[in-house]
Amino acid sequence: MSNEASATPAGRILRVGLAAGLLMNLVGWVGNQLVLGPLWKDAIRTVVPLRNRTWVNELLSLVPDFIYGIAIAWLYVELARSRGPGLGTAIIAALVVWAVTVVPTYLGIANSGLLPVGLAAATTVVGVVSAIPTGWLVWKWLDTKGPAPWAA
């Protein structure tokens, strides 16, 4: 992919990045709702009551993972130029984006007292767990010769 990396169209990176963001939102939902659900309910009840939360708030909470997905896809293409393509490179791209986005976000939220430290740490772990399937998706869909399976 090293020669192909420079030729990867921005539209393809964008589409794969959006798919990666969707996957991260799904993994995050499973982790935060099904696994950590009781901790979140307790935190919301005792620490951060969410009054007047609307569908707009819920929609906006999905946006960061789409941005992260695009960043992972772009970073994978860039890293593949020097490191070579592959699952390892894709997971490194996902972990780098996780380290500079999710970690400081939840560290700041926990430090502010808006979330218990344990819940912030557990949610950060959910983020790192999502890096593996996200890296796999980015690698599979950007390291193929044709269009992504869902793109023309």
Side-chain angles (χ1 to χ4, degrees), residues 1 13 15-16 18 23 31 37 53-54 58 66 71 85 89 100 102 107 110-112 114 125 132 145:
M1 182 171 155
I13 292 170
R15 286 189 305 273
V16 171
L18 291 172
L23 179 60
R53 193 156 171 91
T54 68
E58 297 301 326
F66 288 107
T89 302
V100 299
V102 175
L107 182 62
N111 187 51
S112 72
L114 291 175
V125 170
I132 295 159
K145 298 242 185 236

PDB file of all heavy atoms in Angstrom, residues 1 13 15-16 18 23 31 37 53-54 58 66 71 85 89 100 102 107 110-112 114 125 132 145:
ATOM      1  N   MET A   1       0.810  -1.195   0.000  1.00  0.00           N
ATOM      2  CA  MET A   1       0.000   0.000   0.000  1.00  0.00           C
ATOM      3  C   MET A   1       0.852   1.258   0.000  1.00  0.00           C
ATOM      4  O   MET A   1       0.341   2.328  -0.206  1.00  0.00           O
ATOM      5  CB  MET A   1      -0.920   0.006   1.220  1.00  0.00           C
ATOM      6  CG  MET A   1      -1.824   1.198   1.268  1.00  0.00           C
ATOM      7  SD  MET A   1      -3.029   0.986   2.567  1.00  0.00           S
ATOM      8  CE  MET A   1      -3.386   2.675   2.885  1.00  0.00           C
ATOM      9  N   ILE A  13     -11.143   7.712   2.364  1.00  0.00           N
ATOM     10  CA  ILE A  13     -10.728   7.850   3.761  1.00  0.00           C
ATOM     11  C   ILE A  13     -11.908   8.342   4.593  1.00  0.00           C
ATOM     12  O   ILE A  13     -12.158   7.837   5.694  1.00  0.00           O
ATOM     13  CB  ILE A  13      -9.519   8.799   3.883  1.00  0.00           C
ATOM     14  CG1 ILE A  13      -8.284   8.145   3.248  1.00  0.00           C
ATOM     15  CG2 ILE A  13      -9.258   9.176   5.336  1.00  0.00           C
ATOM     16  CD1 ILE A  13      -7.097   9.081   3.103  1.00  0.00           C
ATOM     17  N   ARG A  15     -15.192   7.987   3.957  1.00  0.00           N
ATOM     18  CA  ARG A  15     -16.218   6.941   4.096  1.00  0.00           C
ATOM     19  C   ARG A  15     -15.780   5.855   5.079  1.00  0.00           C
ATOM     20  O   ARG A  15     -16.566   5.437   5.934  1.00  0.00           O
ATOM     21  CB  ARG A  15     -16.543   6.331   2.732  1.00  0.00           C
ATOM     22  CG  ARG A  15     -17.378   7.228   1.851  1.00  0.00           C
ATOM     23  CD  ARG A  15     -17.866   6.517   0.603  1.00  0.00           C
ATOM     24  NE  ARG A  15     -16.801   5.913  -0.186  1.00  0.00           N
ATOM     25  CZ  ARG A  15     -16.100   6.535  -1.130  1.00  0.00           C
ATOM     26  NH1 ARG A  15     -16.353   7.797  -1.400  1.00  0.00           N
ATOM     27  NH2 ARG A  15     -15.174   5.902  -1.810  1.00  0.00           N
ATOM     28  N   VAL A  16     -14.544   5.407   4.961  1.00  0.00           N
ATOM     29  CA  VAL A  16     -14.056   4.381   5.885  1.00  0.00           C
ATOM     30  C   VAL A  16     -13.996   4.943   7.303  1.00  0.00           C
ATOM     31  O   VAL A  16     -14.347   4.269   8.268  1.00  0.00           O
ATOM     32  CB  VAL A  16     -12.687   3.829   5.428  1.00  0.00           C
ATOM     33  CG1 VAL A  16     -12.072   2.937   6.485  1.00  0.00           C
ATOM     34  CG2 VAL A  16     -12.840   3.067   4.103  1.00  0.00           C
ATOM     35  N   LEU A  18     -15.919   7.278   8.579  1.00  0.00           N
ATOM     36  CA  LEU A  18     -17.287   7.345   9.107  1.00  0.00           C
ATOM     37  C   LEU A  18     -17.781   5.960   9.531  1.00  0.00           C
ATOM     38  O   LEU A  18     -18.451   5.822  10.558  1.00  0.00           O
ATOM     39  CB  LEU A  18     -18.235   7.979   8.090  1.00  0.00           C
ATOM     40  CG  LEU A  18     -18.011   9.473   7.845  1.00  0.00           C
ATOM     41  CD1 LEU A  18     -18.874   9.961   6.683  1.00  0.00           C
ATOM     42  CD2 LEU A  18     -18.267  10.290   9.105  1.00  0.00           C
ATOM     43  N   LEU A  23     -18.742   2.141  14.066  1.00  0.00           N
ATOM     44  CA  LEU A  23     -18.334   0.975  14.850  1.00  0.00           C
ATOM     45  C   LEU A  23     -17.936   1.387  16.272  1.00  0.00           C
ATOM     46  O   LEU A  23     -18.324   0.731  17.244  1.00  0.00           O
ATOM     47  CB  LEU A  23     -17.182   0.239  14.161  1.00  0.00           C
ATOM     48  CG  LEU A  23     -16.635  -0.982  14.880  1.00  0.00           C
ATOM     49  CD1 LEU A  23     -17.714  -2.048  15.075  1.00  0.00           C
ATOM     50  CD2 LEU A  23     -15.449  -1.558  14.111  1.00  0.00           C
ATOM     51  N   GLY A  31     -20.457  -1.188  25.552  1.00  0.00           N
ATOM     52  CA  GLY A  31     -19.638  -1.108  26.760  1.00  0.00           C
ATOM     53  C   GLY A  31     -20.245  -0.234  27.838  1.00  0.00           C
ATOM     54  O   GLY A  31     -20.283  -0.604  29.017  1.00  0.00           O
ATOM     55  N   GLY A  37     -23.518   0.065  32.479  1.00  0.00           N
ATOM     56  CA  GLY A  37     -24.804   0.727  32.688  1.00  0.00           C
ATOM     57  C   GLY A  37     -25.128   1.074  34.129  1.00  0.00           C
ATOM     58  O   GLY A  37     -25.486   2.218  34.432  1.00  0.00           O
ATOM     59  N   ARG A  53     -32.119  17.136  29.049  1.00  0.00           N
ATOM     60  CA  ARG A  53     -31.349  16.492  27.986  1.00  0.00           C
ATOM     61  C   ARG A  53     -32.309  16.142  26.850  1.00  0.00           C
ATOM     62  O   ARG A  53     -33.322  15.513  27.066  1.00  0.00           O
ATOM     63  CB  ARG A  53     -30.657  15.243  28.524  1.00  0.00           C
ATOM     64  CG  ARG A  53     -29.613  14.700  27.600  1.00  0.00           C
ATOM     65  CD  ARG A  53     -28.605  13.887  28.405  1.00  0.00           C
ATOM     66  NE  ARG A  53     -27.704  13.166  27.547  1.00  0.00           N
ATOM     67  CZ  ARG A  53     -26.540  13.648  27.128  1.00  0.00           C
ATOM     68  NH1 ARG A  53     -26.172  14.847  27.503  1.00  0.00           N
ATOM     69  NH2 ARG A  53     -25.765  12.943  26.354  1.00  0.00           N
ATOM     70  N   THR A  54     -31.951  16.555  25.638  1.00  0.00           N
ATOM     71  CA  THR A  54     -32.832  16.350  24.496  1.00  0.00           C
ATOM     72  C   THR A  54     -32.171  15.414  23.483  1.00  0.00           C
ATOM     73  O   THR A  54     -31.018  15.014  23.653  1.00  0.00           O
ATOM     74  CB  THR A  54     -33.131  17.694  23.807  1.00  0.00           C
ATOM     75  OG1 THR A  54     -31.925  18.180  23.200  1.00  0.00           O
ATOM     76  CG2 THR A  54     -33.678  18.710  24.799  1.00  0.00           C
ATOM     77  N   GLU A  58     -28.156  13.890  22.642  1.00  0.00           N
ATOM     78  CA  GLU A  58     -27.824  12.497  22.320  1.00  0.00           C
ATOM     79  C   GLU A  58     -27.130  12.417  20.960  1.00  0.00           C
ATOM     80  O   GLU A  58     -26.150  11.685  20.798  1.00  0.00           O
ATOM     81  CB  GLU A  58     -29.084  11.626  22.330  1.00  0.00           C
ATOM     82  CG  GLU A  58     -29.769  11.550  23.684  1.00  0.00           C
ATOM     83  CD  GLU A  58     -28.891  10.994  24.790  1.00  0.00           C
ATOM     84  OE1 GLU A  58     -28.049  10.109  24.523  1.00  0.00           O
ATOM     85  OE2 GLU A  58     -29.034  11.445  25.938  1.00  0.00           O
ATOM     86  N   PHE A  66     -17.183   9.749  15.266  1.00  0.00           N
ATOM     87  CA  PHE A  66     -17.061   9.871  13.807  1.00  0.00           C
ATOM     88  C   PHE A  66     -15.812  10.664  13.443  1.00  0.00           C
ATOM     89  O   PHE A  66     -15.099  10.322  12.495  1.00  0.00           O
ATOM     90  CB  PHE A  66     -18.319  10.498  13.207  1.00  0.00           C
ATOM     91  CG  PHE A  66     -19.501   9.567  13.219  1.00  0.00           C
ATOM     92  CD1 PHE A  66     -20.542   9.765  14.099  1.00  0.00           C
ATOM     93  CD2 PHE A  66     -19.552   8.469  12.367  1.00  0.00           C
ATOM     94  CE1 PHE A  66     -21.634   8.900  14.122  1.00  0.00           C
ATOM     95  CE2 PHE A  66     -20.631   7.596  12.382  1.00  0.00           C
ATOM     96  CZ  PHE A  66     -21.677   7.806  13.265  1.00  0.00           C
ATOM     97  N   ALA A  71     -10.036  10.393  11.698  1.00  0.00           N
ATOM     98  CA  ALA A  71      -8.631  10.586  12.070  1.00  0.00           C
ATOM     99  C   ALA A  71      -7.861   9.261  12.018  1.00  0.00           C
ATOM    100  O   ALA A  71      -6.721   9.217  11.558  1.00  0.00           O
ATOM    101  CB  ALA A  71      -8.536  11.207  13.466  1.00  0.00           C
ATOM    102  N   PRO A  85       1.574  -1.391   5.349  1.00  0.00           N
ATOM    103  CA  PRO A  85       0.175  -1.639   5.687  1.00  0.00           C
ATOM    104  C   PRO A  85       0.045  -2.873   6.564  1.00  0.00           C
ATOM    105  O   PRO A  85       0.950  -3.692   6.636  1.00  0.00           O
ATOM    106  CB  PRO A  85      -0.475  -1.871   4.324  1.00  0.00           C
ATOM    107  CG  PRO A  85       0.631  -2.418   3.484  1.00  0.00           C
ATOM    108  CD  PRO A  85       1.887  -1.753   3.980  1.00  0.00           C
ATOM    109  N   THR A  89      -0.385  -1.798  12.015  1.00  0.00           N
ATOM    110  CA  THR A  89      -0.342  -0.366  11.720  1.00  0.00           C
ATOM    111  C   THR A  89      -1.697   0.281  11.984  1.00  0.00           C
ATOM    112  O   THR A  89      -1.782   1.382  12.549  1.00  0.00           O
ATOM    113  CB  THR A  89       0.092  -0.137  10.258  1.00  0.00           C
ATOM    114  OG1 THR A  89       1.378  -0.736  10.065  1.00  0.00           O
ATOM    115  CG2 THR A  89       0.168   1.338   9.922  1.00  0.00           C
ATOM    116  N   VAL A 100      -4.724  10.393  22.364  1.00  0.00           N
ATOM    117  CA  VAL A 100      -4.746  11.858  22.341  1.00  0.00           C
ATOM    118  C   VAL A 100      -6.155  12.435  22.406  1.00  0.00           C
ATOM    119  O   VAL A 100      -6.311  13.657  22.453  1.00  0.00           O
ATOM    120  CB  VAL A 100      -3.987  12.436  21.120  1.00  0.00           C
ATOM    121  CG1 VAL A 100      -2.537  12.028  21.135  1.00  0.00           C
ATOM    122  CG2 VAL A 100      -4.657  12.054  19.822  1.00  0.00           C
ATOM    123  N   VAL A 102      -9.419  10.281  23.839  1.00  0.00           N
ATOM    124  CA  VAL A 102     -10.221   9.691  24.913  1.00  0.00           C
ATOM    125  C   VAL A 102      -9.542   9.855  26.273  1.00  0.00           C
ATOM    126  O   VAL A 102     -10.186  10.270  27.240  1.00  0.00           O
ATOM    127  CB  VAL A 102     -10.512   8.202  24.614  1.00  0.00           C
ATOM    128  CG1 VAL A 102     -11.248   7.544  25.771  1.00  0.00           C
ATOM    129  CG2 VAL A 102     -11.319   8.070  23.329  1.00  0.00           C
ATOM    130  N   LEU A 107      -9.802  11.960  31.627  1.00  0.00           N
ATOM    131  CA  LEU A 107      -8.962  12.435  32.726  1.00  0.00           C
ATOM    132  C   LEU A 107      -9.465  13.801  33.193  1.00  0.00           C
ATOM    133  O   LEU A 107      -9.616  14.045  34.394  1.00  0.00           O
ATOM    134  CB  LEU A 107      -7.497  12.521  32.280  1.00  0.00           C
ATOM    135  CG  LEU A 107      -6.495  12.963  33.332  1.00  0.00           C
ATOM    136  CD1 LEU A 107      -6.453  11.974  34.493  1.00  0.00           C
ATOM    137  CD2 LEU A 107      -5.116  13.103  32.706  1.00  0.00           C
ATOM    138  N   ALA A 110     -12.927  13.403  34.945  1.00  0.00           N
ATOM    139  CA  ALA A 110     -12.768  12.850  36.299  1.00  0.00           C
ATOM    140  C   ALA A 110     -12.145  13.896  37.227  1.00  0.00           C
ATOM    141  O   ALA A 110     -12.570  14.049  38.373  1.00  0.00           O
ATOM    142  CB  ALA A 110     -11.912  11.589  36.264  1.00  0.00           C
ATOM    143  N   ASN A 111     -11.153  14.610  36.723  1.00  0.00           N
ATOM    144  CA  ASN A 111     -10.485  15.623  37.535  1.00  0.00           C
ATOM    145  C   ASN A 111     -11.434  16.742  37.930  1.00  0.00           C
ATOM    146  O   ASN A 111     -11.316  17.312  39.010  1.00  0.00           O
ATOM    147  CB  ASN A 111      -9.277  16.191  36.780  1.00  0.00           C
ATOM    148  CG  ASN A 111      -8.455  17.111  37.635  1.00  0.00           C
ATOM    149  OD1 ASN A 111      -8.073  16.771  38.738  1.00  0.00           O
ATOM    150  ND2 ASN A 111      -8.188  18.296  37.119  1.00  0.00           N
ATOM    151  N   SER A 112     -12.405  17.039  37.081  1.00  0.00           N
ATOM    152  CA  SER A 112     -13.365  18.104  37.381  1.00  0.00           C
ATOM    153  C   SER A 112     -14.400  17.679  38.405  1.00  0.00           C
ATOM    154  O   SER A 112     -15.143  18.503  38.918  1.00  0.00           O
ATOM    155  CB  SER A 112     -14.071  18.542  36.103  1.00  0.00           C
ATOM    156  OG  SER A 112     -14.973  17.530  35.680  1.00  0.00           O
ATOM    157  N   LEU A 114     -16.905  15.653  37.637  1.00  0.00           N
ATOM    158  CA  LEU A 114     -18.170  15.375  36.967  1.00  0.00           C
ATOM    159  C   LEU A 114     -18.466  13.881  36.857  1.00  0.00           C
ATOM    160  O   LEU A 114     -19.614  13.503  36.681  1.00  0.00           O
ATOM    161  CB  LEU A 114     -18.186  16.004  35.570  1.00  0.00           C
ATOM    162  CG  LEU A 114     -18.241  17.526  35.561  1.00  0.00           C
ATOM    163  CD1 LEU A 114     -18.121  18.056  34.143  1.00  0.00           C
ATOM    164  CD2 LEU A 114     -19.533  18.019  36.210  1.00  0.00           C
ATOM    165  N   VAL A 125     -11.246   2.490  29.208  1.00  0.00           N
ATOM    166  CA  VAL A 125     -10.935   1.121  28.791  1.00  0.00           C
ATOM    167  C   VAL A 125     -11.877   0.684  27.666  1.00  0.00           C
ATOM    168  O   VAL A 125     -11.448   0.024  26.710  1.00  0.00           O
ATOM    169  CB  VAL A 125     -10.992   0.144  29.988  1.00  0.00           C
ATOM    170  CG1 VAL A 125     -10.905  -1.304  29.535  1.00  0.00           C
ATOM    171  CG2 VAL A 125      -9.880   0.465  30.978  1.00  0.00           C
ATOM    172  N   ILE A 132      -9.400  -2.100  18.705  1.00  0.00           N
ATOM    173  CA  ILE A 132      -9.056  -3.326  17.980  1.00  0.00           C
ATOM    174  C   ILE A 132     -10.005  -3.574  16.805  1.00  0.00           C
ATOM    175  O   ILE A 132      -9.555  -3.677  15.662  1.00  0.00           O
ATOM    176  CB  ILE A 132      -8.955  -4.519  18.942  1.00  0.00           C
ATOM    177  CG1 ILE A 132      -7.783  -4.260  19.891  1.00  0.00           C
ATOM    178  CG2 ILE A 132      -8.786  -5.840  18.197  1.00  0.00           C
ATOM    179  CD1 ILE A 132      -7.816  -5.006  21.160  1.00  0.00           C
ATOM    180  N   LYS A 145      -7.787  -3.474  -2.888  1.00  0.00           N
ATOM    181  CA  LYS A 145      -7.543  -2.849  -4.188  1.00  0.00           C
ATOM    182  C   LYS A 145      -8.771  -2.151  -4.750  1.00  0.00           C
ATOM    183  O   LYS A 145      -8.665  -1.219  -5.502  1.00  0.00           O
ATOM    184  CB  LYS A 145      -7.062  -3.917  -5.164  1.00  0.00           C
ATOM    185  CG  LYS A 145      -5.772  -4.541  -4.718  1.00  0.00           C
ATOM    186  CD  LYS A 145      -4.708  -4.285  -5.713  1.00  0.00           C
ATOM    187  CE  LYS A 145      -3.461  -5.023  -5.283  1.00  0.00           C
ATOM    188  NZ  LYS A 145      -2.344  -4.233  -5.130  1.00  0.00           N
TER     189      LYS A 145
END
